[in-house]
mmCIF file of all heavy atoms in Angstrom:
data_model
loop_
_atom_site.group_PDB
_atom_site.id
_atom_site.type_symbol
_atom_site.label_atom_id
_atom_site.label_comp_id
_atom_site.label_asym_id
_atom_site.label_seq_id
_atom_site.Cartn_x
_atom_site.Cartn_y
_atom_site.Cartn_z
ATOM 1 N N ARG A 1 64.556 157.694 127.272
ATOM 2 C CA ARG A 1 64.396 159.012 127.900
ATOM 3 C C ARG A 1 63.199 158.977 128.854
ATOM 4 O O ARG A 1 62.236 158.251 128.621
ATOM 5 C CB ARG A 1 64.144 160.088 126.844
ATOM 6 C CG ARG A 1 65.314 160.369 125.958
ATOM 7 C CD ARG A 1 64.998 161.514 124.994
ATOM 8 N NE ARG A 1 66.129 161.793 124.137
ATOM 9 C CZ ARG A 1 66.230 161.402 122.873
ATOM 10 N NH1 ARG A 1 65.259 160.729 122.296
ATOM 11 N NH2 ARG A 1 67.308 161.702 122.182
ATOM 12 N N GLY A 2 63.262 159.825 129.857
ATOM 13 C CA GLY A 2 62.150 159.902 130.784
ATOM 14 C C GLY A 2 62.313 161.035 131.773
ATOM 15 O O GLY A 2 63.086 161.961 131.557
ATOM 16 N N TYR A 3 61.557 160.922 132.868
ATOM 17 C CA TYR A 3 61.636 161.915 133.932
ATOM 18 C C TYR A 3 61.642 161.203 135.275
ATOM 19 O O TYR A 3 61.214 160.049 135.384
ATOM 20 C CB TYR A 3 60.472 162.912 133.861
ATOM 21 C CG TYR A 3 59.130 162.314 134.169
ATOM 22 C CD1 TYR A 3 58.667 162.221 135.480
ATOM 23 C CD2 TYR A 3 58.304 161.832 133.153
ATOM 24 C CE1 TYR A 3 57.428 161.664 135.770
ATOM 25 C CE2 TYR A 3 57.073 161.279 133.432
ATOM 26 C CZ TYR A 3 56.639 161.193 134.740
ATOM 27 O OH TYR A 3 55.422 160.630 135.031
ATOM 28 N N ALA A 4 62.124 161.900 136.284
ATOM 29 C CA ALA A 4 62.108 161.390 137.654
ATOM 30 C C ALA A 4 61.739 162.544 138.578
ATOM 31 O O ALA A 4 61.962 163.718 138.251
ATOM 32 C CB ALA A 4 63.466 160.820 138.025
ATOM 33 N N TRP A 5 61.199 162.199 139.720
ATOM 34 C CA TRP A 5 60.751 163.215 140.668
ATOM 35 C C TRP A 5 60.639 162.571 142.039
ATOM 36 O O TRP A 5 60.372 161.364 142.155
ATOM 37 C CB TRP A 5 59.394 163.754 140.223
ATOM 38 C CG TRP A 5 58.823 164.805 141.108
ATOM 39 C CD1 TRP A 5 59.153 166.135 141.118
ATOM 40 C CD2 TRP A 5 57.836 164.640 142.120
ATOM 41 N NE1 TRP A 5 58.416 166.801 142.067
ATOM 42 C CE2 TRP A 5 57.605 165.899 142.699
ATOM 43 C CE3 TRP A 5 57.131 163.545 142.598
ATOM 44 C CZ2 TRP A 5 56.701 166.088 143.735
ATOM 45 C CZ3 TRP A 5 56.223 163.731 143.633
ATOM 46 C CH2 TRP A 5 56.011 164.998 144.185
ATOM 47 N N SER A 6 60.818 163.363 143.082
ATOM 48 C CA SER A 6 60.614 162.874 144.437
ATOM 49 C C SER A 6 59.924 163.954 145.249
ATOM 50 O O SER A 6 60.081 165.145 144.979
ATOM 51 C CB SER A 6 61.953 162.509 145.082
ATOM 52 O OG SER A 6 61.733 161.816 146.299
ATOM 53 N N GLY A 7 59.181 163.546 146.234
ATOM 54 C CA GLY A 7 58.464 164.488 147.086
ATOM 55 C C GLY A 7 59.358 165.116 148.136
ATOM 56 O O GLY A 7 60.534 164.778 148.273
ATOM 57 N N GLY A 8 58.803 166.047 148.857
ATOM 58 C CA GLY A 8 59.514 166.692 149.953
ATOM 59 C C GLY A 8 60.665 167.575 149.518
ATOM 60 O O GLY A 8 61.513 167.914 150.335
ATOM 61 N N GLY A 9 60.720 167.918 148.234
ATOM 62 C CA GLY A 9 61.798 168.765 147.738
ATOM 63 C C GLY A 9 63.102 168.032 147.517
ATOM 64 O O GLY A 9 64.130 168.645 147.255
ATOM 65 N N ASN A 10 63.086 166.684 147.621
ATOM 66 C CA ASN A 10 64.296 165.893 147.414
ATOM 67 C C ASN A 10 64.667 165.864 145.944
ATOM 68 O O ASN A 10 63.843 165.534 145.095
ATOM 69 C CB ASN A 10 64.107 164.455 147.896
ATOM 70 C CG ASN A 10 64.166 164.335 149.395
ATOM 71 O OD1 ASN A 10 64.993 164.969 150.037
ATOM 72 N ND2 ASN A 10 63.289 163.530 149.949
ATOM 73 N N GLY A 11 65.915 166.171 145.644
ATOM 74 C CA GLY A 11 66.398 166.117 144.271
ATOM 75 C C GLY A 11 66.728 164.694 143.846
ATOM 76 O O GLY A 11 66.957 163.813 144.678
ATOM 77 N N ILE A 12 66.753 164.476 142.553
ATOM 78 C CA ILE A 12 67.128 163.173 141.992
ATOM 79 C C ILE A 12 68.639 163.157 141.828
ATOM 80 O O ILE A 12 69.220 164.067 141.228
ATOM 81 C CB ILE A 12 66.426 162.953 140.635
ATOM 82 C CG1 ILE A 12 64.903 162.968 140.807
ATOM 83 C CG2 ILE A 12 66.907 161.660 139.976
ATOM 84 C CD1 ILE A 12 64.346 161.900 141.725
ATOM 85 N N ILE A 13 69.290 162.119 142.355
ATOM 86 C CA ILE A 13 70.742 162.013 142.217
ATOM 87 C C ILE A 13 71.157 160.957 141.193
ATOM 88 O O ILE A 13 72.294 160.965 140.742
ATOM 89 C CB ILE A 13 71.438 161.731 143.566
ATOM 90 C CG1 ILE A 13 70.974 160.400 144.162
ATOM 91 C CG2 ILE A 13 71.216 162.891 144.523
ATOM 92 C CD1 ILE A 13 71.818 159.913 145.331
ATOM 93 N N ARG A 14 70.218 160.051 140.836
ATOM 94 C CA ARG A 14 70.591 158.985 139.912
ATOM 95 C C ARG A 14 69.356 158.349 139.304
ATOM 96 O O ARG A 14 68.331 158.202 139.973
ATOM 97 C CB ARG A 14 71.383 157.924 140.676
ATOM 98 C CG ARG A 14 72.028 156.891 139.810
ATOM 99 C CD ARG A 14 72.869 155.906 140.597
ATOM 100 N NE ARG A 14 72.014 154.914 141.245
ATOM 101 C CZ ARG A 14 71.989 154.656 142.552
ATOM 102 N NH1 ARG A 14 72.749 155.337 143.376
ATOM 103 N NH2 ARG A 14 71.193 153.740 143.038
ATOM 104 N N VAL A 15 69.456 157.983 138.028
ATOM 105 C CA VAL A 15 68.465 157.130 137.384
ATOM 106 C C VAL A 15 69.237 155.987 136.732
ATOM 107 O O VAL A 15 70.216 156.216 136.019
ATOM 108 C CB VAL A 15 67.627 157.881 136.331
ATOM 109 C CG1 VAL A 15 66.719 156.918 135.572
ATOM 110 C CG2 VAL A 15 66.794 158.974 136.999
ATOM 111 N N ASP A 16 68.819 154.770 137.020
ATOM 112 C CA ASP A 16 69.429 153.573 136.456
ATOM 113 C C ASP A 16 68.457 152.955 135.466
ATOM 114 O O ASP A 16 67.242 152.911 135.720
ATOM 115 C CB ASP A 16 69.742 152.561 137.556
ATOM 116 C CG ASP A 16 70.686 153.128 138.612
ATOM 117 O OD1 ASP A 16 71.784 153.559 138.228
ATOM 118 O OD2 ASP A 16 70.316 153.139 139.796
ATOM 119 N N VAL A 17 68.985 152.460 134.348
ATOM 120 C CA VAL A 17 68.168 151.864 133.294
ATOM 121 C C VAL A 17 68.693 150.464 133.008
ATOM 122 O O VAL A 17 69.912 150.244 132.971
ATOM 123 C CB VAL A 17 68.208 152.727 132.008
ATOM 124 C CG1 VAL A 17 67.304 152.144 130.936
ATOM 125 C CG2 VAL A 17 67.813 154.170 132.311
ATOM 126 N N SER A 18 67.785 149.526 132.817
ATOM 127 C CA SER A 18 68.152 148.134 132.563
ATOM 128 C C SER A 18 67.468 147.614 131.307
ATOM 129 O O SER A 18 66.300 147.912 131.062
ATOM 130 C CB SER A 18 67.748 147.260 133.760
ATOM 131 O OG SER A 18 68.016 145.898 133.496
ATOM 132 N N LEU A 19 68.207 146.815 130.543
ATOM 133 C CA LEU A 19 67.646 146.142 129.365
ATOM 134 C C LEU A 19 67.430 144.658 129.622
ATOM 135 O O LEU A 19 67.028 143.931 128.719
ATOM 136 C CB LEU A 19 68.580 146.327 128.157
ATOM 137 C CG LEU A 19 68.854 147.759 127.706
ATOM 138 C CD1 LEU A 19 69.793 147.766 126.499
ATOM 139 C CD2 LEU A 19 67.557 148.481 127.375
ATOM 140 N N ASP A 20 67.709 144.192 130.842
ATOM 141 C CA ASP A 20 67.569 142.768 131.143
ATOM 142 C C ASP A 20 66.758 142.532 132.421
ATOM 143 O O ASP A 20 67.076 141.684 133.236
ATOM 144 C CB ASP A 20 68.931 142.086 131.208
ATOM 145 C CG ASP A 20 69.866 142.703 132.247
ATOM 146 O OD1 ASP A 20 69.405 143.546 133.068
ATOM 147 O OD2 ASP A 20 71.055 142.352 132.251
ATOM 148 N N GLU A 21 65.707 143.318 132.574
ATOM 149 C CA GLU A 21 64.761 143.190 133.684
ATOM 150 C C GLU A 21 65.410 143.357 135.056
ATOM 151 O O GLU A 21 65.003 142.742 136.031
ATOM 152 C CB GLU A 21 63.993 141.876 133.582
ATOM 153 C CG GLU A 21 63.208 141.803 132.278
ATOM 154 C CD GLU A 21 62.284 140.621 132.178
ATOM 155 O OE1 GLU A 21 61.608 140.312 133.175
ATOM 156 O OE2 GLU A 21 62.240 140.020 131.094
ATOM 157 N N GLY A 22 66.450 144.195 135.124
ATOM 158 C CA GLY A 22 67.052 144.536 136.399
ATOM 159 C C GLY A 22 68.230 143.679 136.823
ATOM 160 O O GLY A 22 68.730 143.837 137.935
ATOM 161 N N LYS A 23 68.702 142.801 135.962
ATOM 162 C CA LYS A 23 69.890 142.015 136.317
ATOM 163 C C LYS A 23 71.136 142.896 136.292
ATOM 164 O O LYS A 23 72.024 142.761 137.134
ATOM 165 C CB LYS A 23 70.048 140.828 135.369
ATOM 166 C CG LYS A 23 68.943 139.788 135.497
ATOM 167 C CD LYS A 23 69.156 138.658 134.499
ATOM 168 C CE LYS A 23 67.967 137.735 134.461
ATOM 169 N NZ LYS A 23 66.863 138.251 133.660
ATOM 170 N N THR A 24 71.222 143.782 135.308
ATOM 171 C CA THR A 24 72.327 144.741 135.217
ATOM 172 C C THR A 24 71.741 146.118 134.939
ATOM 173 O O THR A 24 70.647 146.240 134.384
ATOM 174 C CB THR A 24 73.324 144.373 134.094
ATOM 175 O OG1 THR A 24 72.647 144.408 132.835
ATOM 176 C CG2 THR A 24 73.934 142.996 134.326
ATOM 177 N N TRP A 25 72.485 147.148 135.320
ATOM 178 C CA TRP A 25 71.998 148.520 135.204
ATOM 179 C C TRP A 25 73.048 149.396 134.545
ATOM 180 O O TRP A 25 74.245 149.148 134.670
ATOM 181 C CB TRP A 25 71.693 149.091 136.587
ATOM 182 C CG TRP A 25 70.586 148.369 137.271
ATOM 183 C CD1 TRP A 25 70.710 147.325 138.158
ATOM 184 C CD2 TRP A 25 69.193 148.601 137.129
ATOM 185 N NE1 TRP A 25 69.474 146.918 138.568
ATOM 186 C CE2 TRP A 25 68.515 147.680 137.948
ATOM 187 C CE3 TRP A 25 68.438 149.505 136.389
ATOM 188 C CZ2 TRP A 25 67.137 147.634 138.058
ATOM 189 C CZ3 TRP A 25 67.061 149.457 136.491
ATOM 190 C CH2 TRP A 25 66.423 148.537 137.318
ATOM 191 N N GLN A 26 72.563 150.435 133.878
ATOM 192 C CA GLN A 26 73.435 151.455 133.312
ATOM 193 C C GLN A 26 72.909 152.813 133.764
ATOM 194 O O GLN A 26 71.701 153.015 133.890
ATOM 195 C CB GLN A 26 73.463 151.339 131.789
ATOM 196 C CG GLN A 26 74.062 149.990 131.357
ATOM 197 C CD GLN A 26 74.165 149.851 129.874
ATOM 198 O OE1 GLN A 26 74.754 150.698 129.222
ATOM 199 N NE2 GLN A 26 73.614 148.786 129.340
ATOM 200 N N LEU A 27 73.835 153.715 133.987
ATOM 201 C CA LEU A 27 73.507 155.029 134.513
ATOM 202 C C LEU A 27 73.004 155.950 133.407
ATOM 203 O O LEU A 27 73.607 156.037 132.342
ATOM 204 C CB LEU A 27 74.776 155.629 135.142
ATOM 205 C CG LEU A 27 74.630 156.750 136.132
ATOM 206 C CD1 LEU A 27 73.756 156.351 137.308
ATOM 207 C CD2 LEU A 27 76.011 157.159 136.632
ATOM 208 N N ALA A 28 71.900 156.629 133.658
ATOM 209 C CA ALA A 28 71.370 157.622 132.717
ATOM 210 C C ALA A 28 72.014 158.977 133.011
ATOM 211 O O ALA A 28 72.441 159.253 134.134
ATOM 212 C CB ALA A 28 69.853 157.728 132.859
ATOM 213 N N GLU A 29 72.046 159.811 131.998
ATOM 214 C CA GLU A 29 72.526 161.183 132.168
ATOM 215 C C GLU A 29 71.353 162.035 132.639
ATOM 216 O O GLU A 29 70.283 162.040 132.016
ATOM 217 C CB GLU A 29 73.061 161.723 130.838
ATOM 218 C CG GLU A 29 73.516 163.152 130.915
ATOM 219 C CD GLU A 29 73.898 163.726 129.551
ATOM 220 O OE1 GLU A 29 73.953 162.984 128.558
ATOM 221 O OE2 GLU A 29 74.114 164.957 129.495
ATOM 222 N N LEU A 30 71.560 162.762 133.723
ATOM 223 C CA LEU A 30 70.508 163.637 134.256
ATOM 224 C C LEU A 30 70.566 164.981 133.557
ATOM 225 O O LEU A 30 71.640 165.546 133.372
ATOM 226 C CB LEU A 30 70.668 163.822 135.766
ATOM 227 C CG LEU A 30 70.635 162.548 136.610
ATOM 228 C CD1 LEU A 30 70.779 162.903 138.084
ATOM 229 C CD2 LEU A 30 69.379 161.735 136.357
ATOM 230 N N LYS A 31 69.400 165.492 133.191
ATOM 231 C CA LYS A 31 69.284 166.809 132.552
ATOM 232 C C LYS A 31 68.580 167.718 133.552
ATOM 233 O O LYS A 31 67.404 168.004 133.427
ATOM 234 C CB LYS A 31 68.456 166.704 131.260
ATOM 235 C CG LYS A 31 68.838 165.575 130.348
ATOM 236 C CD LYS A 31 69.964 165.980 129.464
ATOM 237 C CE LYS A 31 70.211 164.881 128.437
ATOM 238 N NZ LYS A 31 71.148 165.268 127.450
ATOM 239 N N ARG A 32 69.313 168.117 134.577
ATOM 240 C CA ARG A 32 68.720 168.846 135.702
ATOM 241 C C ARG A 32 68.588 170.338 135.454
ATOM 242 O O ARG A 32 69.453 170.943 134.838
ATOM 243 C CB ARG A 32 69.579 168.706 136.931
ATOM 244 C CG ARG A 32 69.640 167.364 137.507
ATOM 245 C CD ARG A 32 70.372 167.470 138.813
ATOM 246 N NE ARG A 32 71.532 166.604 138.790
ATOM 247 C CZ ARG A 32 71.882 165.861 139.790
ATOM 248 N NH1 ARG A 32 71.197 165.864 140.900
ATOM 249 N NH2 ARG A 32 72.939 165.103 139.713
ATOM 250 N N MET A 33 67.534 170.878 136.033
ATOM 251 C CA MET A 33 67.398 172.338 136.154
ATOM 252 C C MET A 33 68.078 172.724 137.462
ATOM 253 O O MET A 33 68.047 171.955 138.422
ATOM 254 C CB MET A 33 65.928 172.729 136.218
ATOM 255 C CG MET A 33 65.163 172.462 134.948
ATOM 256 S SD MET A 33 63.431 172.950 135.117
ATOM 257 C CE MET A 33 63.594 174.673 135.515
ATOM 258 N N PRO A 34 68.685 173.910 137.526
ATOM 259 C CA PRO A 34 69.280 174.326 138.802
ATOM 260 C C PRO A 34 68.183 174.478 139.872
ATOM 261 O O PRO A 34 67.194 175.164 139.643
ATOM 262 C CB PRO A 34 69.920 175.680 138.487
ATOM 263 C CG PRO A 34 69.859 175.854 137.013
ATOM 264 C CD PRO A 34 68.868 174.883 136.466
ATOM 265 N N GLN A 35 68.364 173.791 140.971
ATOM 266 C CA GLN A 35 67.421 173.872 142.083
ATOM 267 C C GLN A 35 68.211 173.810 143.385
ATOM 268 O O GLN A 35 69.220 173.120 143.468
ATOM 269 C CB GLN A 35 66.426 172.709 142.045
ATOM 270 C CG GLN A 35 65.577 172.678 140.773
ATOM 271 C CD GLN A 35 64.607 171.522 140.804
ATOM 272 O OE1 GLN A 35 63.575 171.604 141.435
ATOM 273 N NE2 GLN A 35 64.946 170.442 140.115
ATOM 274 N N LYS A 36 67.732 174.490 144.390
ATOM 275 C CA LYS A 36 68.401 174.490 145.686
ATOM 276 C C LYS A 36 68.151 173.168 146.404
ATOM 277 O O LYS A 36 67.048 172.608 146.302
ATOM 278 C CB LYS A 36 67.888 175.644 146.541
ATOM 279 C CG LYS A 36 68.241 177.001 145.987
ATOM 280 C CD LYS A 36 67.673 178.107 146.860
ATOM 281 C CE LYS A 36 68.015 179.454 146.256
ATOM 282 N NZ LYS A 36 67.405 180.555 146.988
ATOM 283 N N PRO A 37 69.133 172.668 147.140
ATOM 284 C CA PRO A 37 68.932 171.432 147.907
ATOM 285 C C PRO A 37 67.704 171.545 148.814
ATOM 286 O O PRO A 37 67.493 172.571 149.457
ATOM 287 C CB PRO A 37 70.228 171.306 148.729
ATOM 288 C CG PRO A 37 71.241 172.076 147.937
ATOM 289 C CD PRO A 37 70.482 173.205 147.286
ATOM 290 N N GLY A 38 66.916 170.500 148.849
ATOM 291 C CA GLY A 38 65.698 170.492 149.666
ATOM 292 C C GLY A 38 64.550 171.274 149.061
ATOM 293 O O GLY A 38 63.473 171.345 149.642
#
């Protein structure tokens, strides 16, 4: 579990998690609050 954030009002569209130092990735489920684009 964790958090993600970006500046400039950009929303997070994806978080990828790896158990093998980035050789393969799995998609995390986003738990977003409703926010307007930008």
Side-chain angles (χ1 to χ4, degrees):
R1 292 184 180 102
Y3 68 87
W5 180 80
S6 190
N10 284 319
I12 299 299
I13 61 168
R14 190 177 78 236
V15 173
D16 301 303
V17 183
S18 176
L19 300 180
D20 58 10
E21 300 188 43
K23 294 179 189 80
T24 62
W25 296 94
Q26 297 182 55
L27 200 57
E29 177 186 352
L30 301 181
K31 313 275 187 172
R32 292 188 238 223
M33 293 180 59
Q35 299 181 80
K36 294 179 181 175

